[in-house]
């Protein structure tokens, strides 16, 4: 199905199932422990051996020798895989460094061996007996030190590294009110509950891997390319994913080594990355240095805005696109953005929930708060003053929908923003200094081709098959709601099968495109099934009503199941997008409001209240969407107050590479969270008239927290995370 004109009225608009706050259909399996995750596929694989990965102990250098004798002689050991024994390997499109290193080492904890044994304990013990001699090379591990050598990266996904409109320098120099500051964000770990894990089995030259992965088709292609085998010989199965946040968009060492281990052992092998390897072996959100300059008239109208960002990655890596939202969020005639990439020998930087906008807004929305203070204008009003309904860089291109002002005003009213004291440090509650902060939320709406197969059997059961994944986002449920709406059957008459490369290729879970695009793909397949049903029943599809398990046309009413009495009906289709995203700028918007308390004596920060207001097209399931947003808000608190991968700048690795040292928010850190979804549909986005919301919920949160800390204390922190040591010597005197 081609989608190249805005959607008109269609069966989704009935809203019998779509738009309803339905419980997750996969919930009972997850809460009862029966959902099959990658490392636990006892149902599919019998007598699997266990593999434990050995990671490089240097960040840059070369393996001079590897002594495997003690490990090979250890009890239970079946085989050991290294780069020498694995044979010739390719490199996938989505991996910056080789997944199996040796003799050259690209980064710390790069996988250099897999020890396979009969039990996990035996494999772990033997892995500790592998003796490796290295020659170390000098590496670059400090972004600030590497900043002067950073280069302009090539265009990425159609987006140039630099943009310019008007004469920024002149407009900034002549602006009555100016702001020029530098902000930093640290490296972040995905820190998902389920580590990267895979179980692999060969049958002849056919490979099946049960893994934890967000993008099935991408990963099938990369695994086949790495192994040097035809893509059709690889099957990936990932029906349940215990969190990904972008860290499982691509295959990692567990997938490749499970496959290599199973081939060498001649039996199935399962591999789970140890928690330190989740931090150092897989991808992470890279640190940034961001300079923001804003010039405005005294009435708050921005005349000049510039955003420059520096980040680092391995050679041939990609930058963190932290300037992207600044190209679109606020008006201003004179504009400049620039992205620079330094070569670092740290583990690979790559996508993490809302790449670009999440760290970019951490800086931009503090800068806007600082401008509001300099101008003496309320921070909410400053953002409203500088709203735009067109792309500021391409004024001929309007936004398909843009309700940023409504988000800000609705949030301000609901949160009690009018009670905020503009002068910092004026509100106390016992020993706590209390403050409020606000930040805009912005995330682009991306669309991607997505397909599905739909079946109807003689019992009236509709089965949907697509390689779409559910990473905790509710894909099972909203896909079931889509099929139920389109085919007029109750939810219990819909079966959803996900995460298998044997199914049609979907959008996958990434970039906030998954929910909207995957349901649009199911919509397309259901349109085709409706046509097949109508033809089988001998009724015209135009005007036919599918409801309550029946198909009605004029005076005739026939059970849906009757169409499949002679045999199951099976159809397949996909949604393919035209150039609407070129004619219209498609984005999602929101506003975050936060209240914090800061202990006057210790500098301890406590988040007291949080509110998010989101405008993201039609909300397909308010209950699961709210779950996504409050999870994102929680993640934003972590980014604001605690999350930081500490870099050992001598040895080149992340020191706090486990869940004891890498701090994330826990239940006691998070107060009441409120989420409001504005009433909105966007016919330009898809037939569903929906957009993604799971990443929007993160964008801007950290800045709202930091701005609230400033309002509470008068202390402005520009270097995340906002920890008490950055406040203590600047706090007001305790009265």
């Amino acid at each position: 199905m081609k989608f190249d004109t805005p959607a008109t009225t269609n069966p989704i608009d009935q809203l019998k199932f779509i738009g309803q706050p339905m419980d997750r259909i996969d919930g009972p399996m997850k809460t009862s422990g029966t959902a099959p995750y990658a490392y636990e596929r006892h149902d599919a694989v019998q007598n699997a051996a266990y593999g434990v990965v050995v990671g490089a102990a240097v960040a840059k250098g070369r393996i001079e020798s590897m002594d495997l004798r003690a490990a090979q002689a250890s009890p239970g050991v079946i085989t050991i895989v290294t780069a020498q024994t694995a044979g010739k390997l390719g490199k996938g499109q989505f991996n910056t460094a080789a997944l199996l290193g040796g003799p050259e080492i690209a980064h710390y904890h790069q996988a250099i061996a897999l020890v396979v044994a009969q039990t996990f304990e035996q494999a772990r013990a033997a892995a500790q007996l592998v003796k490796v001699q290295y020659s170390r090379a000098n590496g670059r591990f400090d972004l600030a030190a590497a900043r002067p050598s950073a280069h302009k990266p090539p265009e990425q996904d159609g987006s140039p590294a630099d943009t310019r409109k008007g004469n920024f320098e002149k407009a900034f120099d002549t602006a009555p009110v100016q702001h020029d500051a530098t902000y930093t964000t640290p490296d972040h770990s995905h820190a998902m509950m389920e580590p990267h894990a895979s179980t692999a089995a060969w049958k002849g030259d056919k490979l099946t891997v049960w893994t934890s992965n967000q993008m099935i088709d991408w990963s099938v292609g990369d695994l086949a390319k790495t192994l040097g085998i035809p893509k059709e010989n690889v099957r990936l199965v990932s029906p349940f994913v215990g969190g990904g946040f972008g860290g499982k968009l691509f295959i990692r060492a567990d997938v490749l080594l499970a496959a290599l281990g199973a081939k060498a052992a001649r039996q199935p092998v399962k591999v789970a990355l140890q928690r330190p390897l989740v931090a150092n072996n897989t991808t992470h959100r890279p640190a940034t240095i961001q300079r923001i300059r804003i010039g405005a008239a005294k009435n708050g109208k921005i005349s000049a805005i510039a955003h420059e960002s520096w980040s680092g990655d391995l050679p041939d890596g990609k930058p963190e696109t932290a300037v992207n939202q600044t190209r679109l969020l606020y008006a201003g005639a004179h504009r400049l953005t620039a992205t620079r990439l330094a070569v670092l020998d740290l583990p690979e930087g790559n996508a993490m929930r809302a790449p670009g906008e999440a760290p970019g807004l951490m800086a931009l929305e503090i800068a806007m708060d600082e401008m509001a203070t300099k101008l003496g204008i309320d921070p909410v009003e400053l953002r409203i003053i500088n709203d735009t309904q067109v792309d500021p860089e391409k004024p001929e291109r309007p936004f398909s929908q843009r309700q940023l002002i409504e988000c800000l005003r609705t949030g301000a009213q609901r949160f009690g923003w009018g009670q905020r004291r503009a002068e910092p440090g004026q509100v106390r509650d016992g020993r706590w200094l209390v403050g409020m902060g606000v930040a805009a939320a912005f995330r682009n709406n991306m669309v991607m081709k997505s397909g599905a197969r739909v079946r109807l059997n003689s019992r009236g059961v509709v089965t949907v098959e697509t390689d779409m994944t559910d990473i905790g986002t509710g894909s099972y449920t909203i896909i079931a709601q889509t099929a139920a709406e389109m085919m007029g059957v109750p939810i219990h008459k819909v079966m959803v099968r996900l995460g298998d490369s044997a199914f049609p290729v979907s959008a996958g879970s990434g970039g906030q495109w998954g929910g909207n695009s995957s349901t649009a793909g199911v919509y397309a397949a259901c349109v085709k099934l409706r046509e097949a049903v109508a033809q089988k029943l001998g009724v015209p599809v135009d005007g036919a009503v599918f409801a309550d398990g029946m198909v009605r046309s004029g005076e005739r009413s026939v059970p849906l199941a009757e169409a499949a009495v002679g045999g199951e009906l099976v159809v397949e289709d996909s949604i393919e997008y035209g150039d609407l995203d070129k004619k219209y700028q498609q984005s999602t918007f929101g506003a975050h409001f936060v209240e914090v308390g800061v202990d006057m004596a210790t500098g301890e920060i406590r988040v007291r209240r949080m509110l998010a207001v989101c405008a993201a097209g039609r909300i397909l399931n308010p209950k699961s969407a709210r779950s996504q947003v409050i999870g994102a808000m929680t993640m934003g608190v972590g980014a604001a107050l605690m999350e930081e991968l500490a870099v050992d700048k001598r040895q080149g690795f992340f020191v706090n590479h486990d869940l004891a040292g890498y701090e994330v928010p826990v239940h006691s850190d998070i107060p009441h969270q409120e989420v409001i979804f504005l009433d909105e549909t966007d016919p330009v986005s898809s037939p569903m008239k929906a957009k993604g919301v799971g990443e929007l919920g993160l964008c801007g949160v950290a800045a709202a927290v930091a701005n609230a800390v400033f309002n509470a204390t008068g202390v402005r922190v520009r270097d995340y995370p906002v920890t008490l040591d950055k406040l203590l010597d600047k706090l007001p005197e305790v009265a």
Side-chain angles (χ1 to χ4, degrees), residues 102-118:
E104 299 299 325
I105 300 300
H107 61 84
Y108 187 82
H109 270 171
Q110 184 178 21
I112 58 172
L114 180 78
V115 178
V116 181
Q118 294 172 357

Side-chain angles (χ1 to χ4, degrees), residues 692-729:
V693 75
E695 297 188 341
L696 177 71
L698 170 62
C699 297
V701 176
V705 174
N707 292 339
V709 170
F710 171 76
N711 184 244
T713 64
V715 181
R716 181 66 73 183
V717 179
R718 295 171 176 154
D719 301 301
Y720 289 98
V722 184
T723 47
L724 59 86
D725 56 298
K726 297 169 184 174
L727 301 175
L728 271 173
D729 61 346

Side-chain angles (χ1 to χ4, degrees), residues 381-401:
E381 289 304 313
L382 179 62
R383 290 167 171 84
I384 291 172
I385 288 168
N386 290 287
D387 185 52
T388 172
Q389 293 298 309
V390 298
D391 178 344
E393 291 185 353
K394 302 171 184 174
E396 70 279 3
R397 187 169 69 151
F399 284 92
S400 60
Q401 295 283 343

Side-chain angles (χ1 to χ4, degrees), residues 13-79:
D13 296 324
Q14 299 172 100
L15 302 183
K16 294 178 181 177
F17 299 99
I18 289 296
Q20 302 306 313
M22 293 189 172
D23 292 342
R24 294 188 182 186
I25 62 175
D26 53 317
M29 294 183 72
K30 290 182 174 178
T31 54
S32 63
T34 56
Y37 288 88
Y39 200 73
E40 305 159 349
R41 292 311 301 262
H42 316 298
D43 60 319
V45 178
Q46 305 298 316
N47 302 317
Y50 293 78
V52 169
V53 176
V54 178
V58 301
K60 188 174 177 62
R62 182 179 177 86
I63 297 174
E64 295 298 337
S65 66
M66 187 181 294
D67 187 348
L68 305 177
R69 288 172 296 178
Q72 287 170 330
S74 187
V77 170
I78 300 169
T79 189

Side-chain angles (χ1 to χ4, degrees), residues 465-505:
E465 297 172 339
T466 170
D467 80 355
M468 180 61 186
T469 49
D470 190 326
I471 61 175
T473 45
S475 301
Y476 278 100
T477 308
I478 60 171
I479 285 174
Q481 289 174 265
T482 303
E485 196 79 77
M486 291 297 293
M487 301 311 301
V489 298
I491 286 287
H492 72 267
K493 285 277 194 177
V494 179
M495 178 182 293
V496 180
R497 303 178 66 196
L498 300 181
D500 190 328
S501 61
F503 300 153
V505 175

Side-chain angles (χ1 to χ4, degrees), residues 61 78 144 171 203 345 359 420 438 453 474 485 517 529 546 617 722 727:
I78 300 169
K203 189 173 182 179
D345 299 302
R420 171 184 175 271
V438 66
R453 182 184 302 125
E485 196 79 77
S517 292
L529 182 57
F546 289 69
V722 184
L727 301 175

Side-chain angles (χ1 to χ4, degrees), residues 313-328:
D313 202 0
L314 293 166
D316 300 321
K318 295 180 179 180
E320 179 66 77
T321 54
V323 305
N324 280 7
Q325 74 289 317
T326 308
R327 297 172 177 176
L328 293 162

Side-chain angles (χ1 to χ4, degrees), residues 361-440:
L361 285 164
M362 289 172 75
L364 176 64
E365 288 302 286
I366 291 182
M368 287 295 288
D369 204 66
E370 295 196 67
M371 274 299 285
T373 299
K374 288 182 177 181
L375 289 160
I377 296 175
D378 181 88
V380 170
E381 289 304 313
L382 179 62
R383 290 167 171 84
I384 291 172
I385 288 168
N386 290 287
D387 185 52
T388 172
Q389 293 298 309
V390 298
D391 178 344
E393 291 185 353
K394 302 171 184 174
E396 70 279 3
R397 187 169 69 151
F399 284 92
S400 60
Q401 295 283 343
R402 180 177 168 118
Q403 294 196 80
L404 176 59
I405 290 177
E406 291 79 0
C407 290
L408 288 162
R409 285 185 171 151
T410 300
Q413 189 277 328
R414 180 70 68 93
F415 201 70
W417 184 257
Q419 299 173 22
R420 171 184 175 271
R421 296 282 293 275
E423 185 180 350
Q426 299 303 301
V427 180
R428 298 192 179 188
D429 181 9
R431 74 175 196 268
W432 298 95
L433 295 164
V434 180
M436 295 185 191
V438 66

